[in-house]
């Protein structure tokens, strides 16, 4: 039977010949025609287009996620805050993630000043870099399979375009959550694994481990979802003998542990009184945060101190979760197409040699999509729609590689049928997802479905025809129609500002409130199933008279998910005599604190961390800080009641209300902690 995908190397005895043959052929192509120059220009056009999509109008999003913007501000003011990822420059408490993403934005703010652009442009550049790495990975895998630079280049371009135009990727590469850095590092690790297999270089596998280790420092255990597939790809396809393959994987695992473990060790070894409290933990432990709130708790819903879980505002777990109204428009457009193309590649290459790089690539990107998708689908704990950006590289890899390799073999009827099925899958998925937003370009869903049906028929019926004009026209139209809907959603995403802790891509969908996550602090819109507004009052009767966020303009869920916007009078008061205090103010919840901190440029203590449920500080510690004259004001407000966790913030709020006189400044209830 025909071997559809040739291995990079020749059979035993000729192992060194193939790479040099391919290299010499590539050099000959470059000398004999302008193709590679055109390729570079085309790649540049794709990357520049991606940059424009991700950077245009970024300033409209303001602080975006103020929680992380305030931490970047703190890191730009104090190196200890930068190293540990503190919420404030006085190092009261950290954000509830490791600080790798904050290292980048903190340095950017230190270099260029505190503004939207210095915080958000690095995220956009990460998106461009991710698309470029995606191109390199797929082009590298496609070249030996096609023995054609032009086709390999097009496979890479298609993968880069699919990634760039995924709506949730457009969202997150325009936003300052850690997901942008996480996806960049995981994609770089996938590229390194493929290159290690193809080039027979252990150093690339070690580098993959380093990328994954730093990915852990971006968003902890989520990075491990791609590790089983990467390891499987190397075990199945790498050239060394089985024993060496295992040793190589152990070495890469060691590199991953070292790359993440040095910072974990630093946190654990530094005495607690010399570093900030670890936000998101109940025992001031980075290990507890890793395996609890940000680890197993996300899977089983047992997240002490959180404000939700499976079925309590975060959607219903199940196999089709990624296609529902909350996640579908973010990521699902090409999932069925990717699965069809990935399965087709495995079937077509079933008789290829063990070391076939196409099979290895399908394992890398396909396992990424399957494992991450299934985990997200069945998670019982907190999960937000933007998490799905982690699926984008897996989808892009399978579509780019599978689309071009199957297109090259469309003369075979089974392959033409598979191609047609993949097109139909894209069309019907887009038709269904566009139906979730019926007022958004209502004509588009009909154009897409009719176009894909027609093109699928053309592919199947004319697969054996050799008319160049028909081939090129059909290929171009297939890509255009397949990407039309995600492109429209991506443009809609880039056209509006996004602020708050939970954001979503695209237009409003049925069951997903209008504009949620887009300028949410102004609109005050509601996420389906999430409790809104009043929450548990902190401090008892009369406390929080300034409203849900102490009188400032707050976000959804009473300042938990959106930062406050203090009045000019309050900003002036907080700045007065600020040099005499370590913290200009204290307020329950990190987003509340972020709003005041970004407005004043001064450290503001986030009592209780993000959810107000961390025991930082305790009542006794807070009383001592007040006695030492380190906190000027306590700002009133309300927050959601958490799922367990510490009551320290409520105790502090009650103590303040009982012992200090409330006053109103600019519509906000505050307590001056002196006298």
């Amino acid at each position: 039977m025909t071997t559809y995908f040739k291995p990079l190397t020749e059979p035993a005895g000729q192992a060194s010949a193939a790479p040099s043959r391919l290299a010499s052929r590539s050099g000959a192509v470059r000398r004999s025609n302008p193709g590679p120059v055109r390729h570079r220009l085309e790649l540049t056009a794709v990357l520049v287009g991606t940059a424009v999509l991700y950077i245009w109008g970024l300033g409209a999003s303001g602080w975006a996620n103020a929680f992380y913007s305030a931490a970047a501000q703190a890191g730009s003011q104090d190196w200890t805050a930068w190293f540990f990822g503190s919420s404030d420059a006085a190092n009261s408490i950290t954000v509830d993630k490791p600080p790798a993403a904050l290292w980048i934005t903190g340095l950017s703010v230190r270099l260029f000043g505190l503004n939207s652009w210095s915080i958000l442009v690095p995220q956009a550049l990460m998106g461009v870099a991710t698309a470029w790495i995606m191109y390199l990975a797929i082009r590298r895998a496609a070249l030996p399979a096609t023995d054609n630079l032009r086709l390999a280049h097009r496979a890479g371009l298609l993968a880069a375009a699919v990634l760039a135009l995924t709506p949730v990727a457009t969202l997150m590469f325009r936003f300052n959550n850690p997901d942008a850095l996480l996806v960049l590092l995981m994609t770089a690790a996938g590229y390194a694994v493929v290159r290690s297999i193809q080039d027979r270089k252990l150093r690339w596998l070690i580098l993959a481990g380093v990328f994954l280790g730093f990915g852990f420092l971006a968003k902890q255990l989520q990075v491990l979802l791609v590790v089983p597939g990467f390891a499987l790809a190397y075990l199945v396809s790498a050239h060394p003998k089985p024993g060496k393959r295992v040793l190589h994987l152990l070495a890469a695992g060691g590199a991953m542990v070292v790359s993440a473990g040095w910072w974990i060790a630093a946190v654990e070894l530094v005495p607690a009184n010399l570093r900030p409290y670890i936000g998101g933990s109940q025992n001031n432990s980075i290990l507890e945060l890793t395996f609890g709130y940000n680890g197993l708790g996300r899977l089983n819903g047992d997240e002490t101190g959180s404000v939700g879980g499976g079925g309590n505002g975060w959607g219903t777990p199940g196999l089709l979760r990624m296609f529902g109204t909350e996640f579908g428009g973010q990521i699902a457009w090409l999932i069925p197409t990717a699965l069809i193309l990935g399965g087709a590649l495995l079937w077509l290459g079933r008789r290829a040699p063990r070391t076939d790089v196409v099979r290895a690539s399908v394992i890398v990107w396909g396992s990424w999509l399957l494992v991450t998708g299934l985990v997200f689908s069945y998670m019982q704990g907190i999960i937000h729609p933007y998490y799905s950006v982690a699926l984008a590289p897996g989808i892009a890899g399978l579509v780019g590689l599978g689309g071009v390799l199957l297109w090259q073999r469309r003369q075979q009827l089974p392959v033409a049928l598979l191609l047609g099925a993949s097109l139909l899958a894209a069309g019907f998925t887009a038709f269904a997802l566009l139906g979730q937003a019926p007022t958004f370009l209502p004509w588009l869903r009909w154009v897409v479905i009719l176009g894909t049906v027609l093109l699928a028929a053309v592919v199947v019926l004319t697969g054996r025809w050799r008319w160049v004009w028909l081939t090129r026209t059909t290929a171009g139209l297939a890509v255009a129609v397949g990407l039309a809907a995600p492109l429209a959603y991506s443009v809609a995403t880039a056209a509006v500002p996004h602020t708050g802790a939970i954001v979503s891509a695209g237009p409003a969908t049925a069951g997903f409130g209008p504009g949620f996550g887009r300028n949410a602090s102004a609109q005050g819109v509601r996420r389906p199933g999430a409790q809104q507004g009043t929450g548990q009052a902190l401090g008892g009767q009369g406390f929080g008279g300034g409203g849900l966020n102490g009188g400032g303009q707050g976000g959804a869920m009473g300042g938990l998910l959106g930062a406050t916007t203090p009045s000019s009078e309050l900003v002036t008061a907080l700045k007065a005599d600020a040099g005499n205090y370590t913290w200009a103010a204290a307020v329950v919840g990190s987003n509340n604190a972020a709003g005041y901190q970004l407005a004043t440029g001064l450290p503001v203590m986030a009592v209780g961390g993000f959810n107000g449920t961390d025991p930082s500080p305790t009542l006794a510690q807070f009383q001592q800080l007040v006695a030492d004259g380190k906190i000027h004001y306590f700002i009133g407000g309300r927050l959601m009641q958490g799922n367990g966790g510490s009551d320290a913030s409520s105790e502090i709020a009650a103590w303040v209300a009982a012992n200090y006189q409330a006053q109103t400044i600019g519509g906000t209830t505050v307590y001056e902690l002196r006298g």
Side-chain angles (χ1 to χ4, degrees):
M1 182 171 288
T2 304
T3 297
Y4 290 92
F5 302 124
K6 299 182 293 297
L8 177 63
T9 59
E10 299 293 333
Q14 304 178 32
S16 62
S20 61
R21 177 172 59 82
L22 283 173
S24 62
R25 181 185 182 280
S26 299
V29 170
R30 290 189 181 93
R31 290 190 296 270
S32 63
N33 65 66
V37 174
R38 184 174 65 250
H39 293 175
R40 288 192 290 272
L41 292 175
E42 291 171 349
L43 174 61
T44 300
V46 169
L47 296 182
V48 169
T50 301
V52 171
L53 178 65
Y54 290 173
I55 295 176
W56 188 269
L58 268 183
S61 290
W63 301 123
N65 191 333
F67 174 58
Y68 292 117
S69 292
Q73 176 199 42
S76 73
Q77 297 173 341
D78 181 82
W79 286 112
T80 299
W82 178 83
F83 181 80
F84 289 106
S86 297
S87 290
D88 63 90
N91 293 294
S92 171
I93 191 171
T94 70
V95 300
D96 56 2
K97 300 288 186 298
L102 295 173
W103 290 341
I104 296 173
T105 52
L107 290 176
S108 178
V109 171
R110 188 177 284 266
L111 289 172
F112 303 108
L114 179 66
N115 55 71
S116 300
W117 297 94
S118 64
I119 290 172
L120 297 179
V121 168
Q123 321 302 320
L125 296 180
M126 290 179 205
V128 176
T130 304
W132 176 59
I133 294 171
M134 196 81 248
Y135 166 84
L136 295 177
I138 299 307
R139 179 185 182 276
R140 170 169 285 272
L143 182 56
T146 61
D147 203 25
N148 186 303
L149 284 173
R150 177 176 55 82
L151 288 176
H153 164 71
R154 290 181 177 177
L157 285 184
L158 179 57
V162 169
L163 176 70
L165 296 180
T166 300
V168 71
T170 301
L171 172 71
M172 296 315 295
F173 287 123
R174 294 174 56 91
F175 205 69
N176 59 321
N177 279 19
D179 302 76
L181 180 61
L182 174 70
V183 172
L184 170 61
L185 290 170
M186 290 195 301
T187 305
Y191 167 81
V193 170
V194 172
R195 183 156 187 178
S196 175
I197 294 170
Q198 194 174 37
D199 289 356
R200 310 185 193 185
K201 300 293 185 182
L202 176 60
R203 63 173 178 264
W204 283 104
L205 189 65
I206 299 297
L207 186 59
V210 172
F211 286 139
L212 292 172
F214 277 95
F216 177 92
L217 295 182
K219 213 174 177 189
Q220 293 187 301
L221 295 182
Q222 184 178 330
V223 76
L224 298 183
L225 295 179
V226 300
V227 171
F230 289 2
L232 178 63
Y234 194 82
L235 282 174
V236 169
S237 303
H239 289 79
K241 294 181 179 179
K244 279 192 174 182
R245 278 177 254 157
V246 173
L247 292 177
H248 289 176
L249 287 173
L250 291 175
M256 180 174 66
V257 170
V258 170
S259 299
W262 68 273
W263 186 83
I264 301 294
V267 174
E268 289 294 304
L269 294 175
V270 172
N273 64 331
L274 298 179
R275 61 165 173 78
Y277 186 93
I278 302 302
S281 72
Q282 296 297 307
N283 297 305
N284 198 12
S285 168
I286 187 63
L287 295 179
E288 178 200 342
L289 177 66
T290 300
F291 295 105
Y293 182 77
N294 283 338
L296 295 177
R298 299 287 170 131
L299 299 179
N300 59 24
D302 184 14
E303 299 172 288
T304 302
S306 74
V307 292
N312 186 21
W314 312 119
T316 303
L319 183 62
L320 298 180
R321 185 188 231 174
M322 293 297 106
F323 295 88
T325 55
E326 294 192 3
F327 288 88
Q330 315 296 303
I331 192 64
W333 307 93
L334 294 174
I335 288 179
T337 297
L339 294 175
I340 292 172
L341 292 174
L345 288 177
L346 291 178
W347 178 71
L348 291 172
R350 64 195 182 279
R351 296 185 180 275
R354 179 183 61 80
T355 55
D356 178 53
V357 72
V358 172
R359 181 190 293 117
S361 296
V362 172
I363 295 174
V364 165
W365 308 113
S367 64
W368 181 327
L369 172 58
L370 287 173
V371 174
T372 305
L374 288 173
V375 169
F376 284 177
S377 295
Y378 286 99
M379 281 174 57
Q380 301 288 326
I382 293 175
I383 180 171
H384 303 307
Y386 65 78
Y387 288 9
S388 60
V389 69
L391 298 173
I395 296 169
L398 293 178
V399 172
L401 190 60
V404 170
L405 294 189
L406 266 66
W407 182 262
Q408 187 188 30
R409 295 158 175 81
R410 67 191 181 282
Q411 293 84 6
Q412 303 167 35
L413 182 58
V415 176
L417 290 172
L418 288 169
L419 265 178
S422 68
L423 274 172
L424 290 175
F428 280 100
T429 302
F431 186 82
L433 295 178
L434 288 169
Q436 295 175 357
T439 61
F440 176 73
L441 303 180
W443 52 268
L444 181 59
R445 63 195 305 237
W446 296 103
V447 171
V448 170
I449 191 65
L450 293 175
T452 51
V453 170
L454 177 61
L455 288 168
V458 171
V459 168
V460 173
L461 297 176
T462 66
R464 293 180 177 272
W465 295 4
R466 300 290 182 174
W467 297 347
V468 174
W469 67 268
L470 178 62
T471 297
R472 292 180 177 177
T473 301
T474 303
L477 289 175
V479 171
V481 172
L483 293 180
L487 169 62
Y489 261 55
S490 289
V491 171
T493 300
V496 294
H498 292 78
T499 62
I502 305 177
V503 289
S504 61
T509 59
F512 201 85
F516 181 82
R518 297 185 290 276
N519 200 20
S521 61
Q523 297 179 29
V525 295
R526 177 177 182 175
R527 184 180 190 278
Q531 291 175 282
Q532 178 91 0
T534 55
Q536 177 186 17
L538 298 179
Q541 184 177 3
F543 183 73
L548 296 182
N549 297 290
Q553 182 183 7
M557 296 179 76
L560 176 63
L561 301 181
T564 55
T565 303
S567 65
S568 59
E569 294 89 347
L570 182 55
V571 170
T572 299
L574 293 177
K575 288 183 176 181
D577 299 324
N580 297 327
Y581 301 90
T582 303
W583 290 276
V587 61
V588 176
S590 294
N591 266 311
N592 275 326
Y596 298 114
Q597 181 170 299
L598 289 166
T600 63
L602 301 169
V604 175
M605 178 184 291
V607 176
F610 187 91
N611 297 318
T613 55
D614 299 341
S616 172
T618 63
L619 176 58
Q621 290 169 336
F622 188 85
Q623 290 171 331
Q624 186 61 53
L625 291 171
V626 172
D628 293 342
K630 293 188 175 182
I631 306 173
H632 192 180
Y633 288 101
F634 187 86
I635 303 175
R638 296 183 179 205
L639 277 177
M640 291 293 300
Q641 183 174 7
N643 176 28
S646 171
D647 292 326
S649 61
S650 296
E651 295 170 355
I652 289 169
W655 177 77
V656 168
N659 290 276
Y660 292 90
Q661 182 66 42
Q663 57 180 301
T664 300
I665 301 178
T668 300
T669 301
V670 301
Y671 300 81
E672 191 169 11
L673 304 180
R674 66 180 182 181

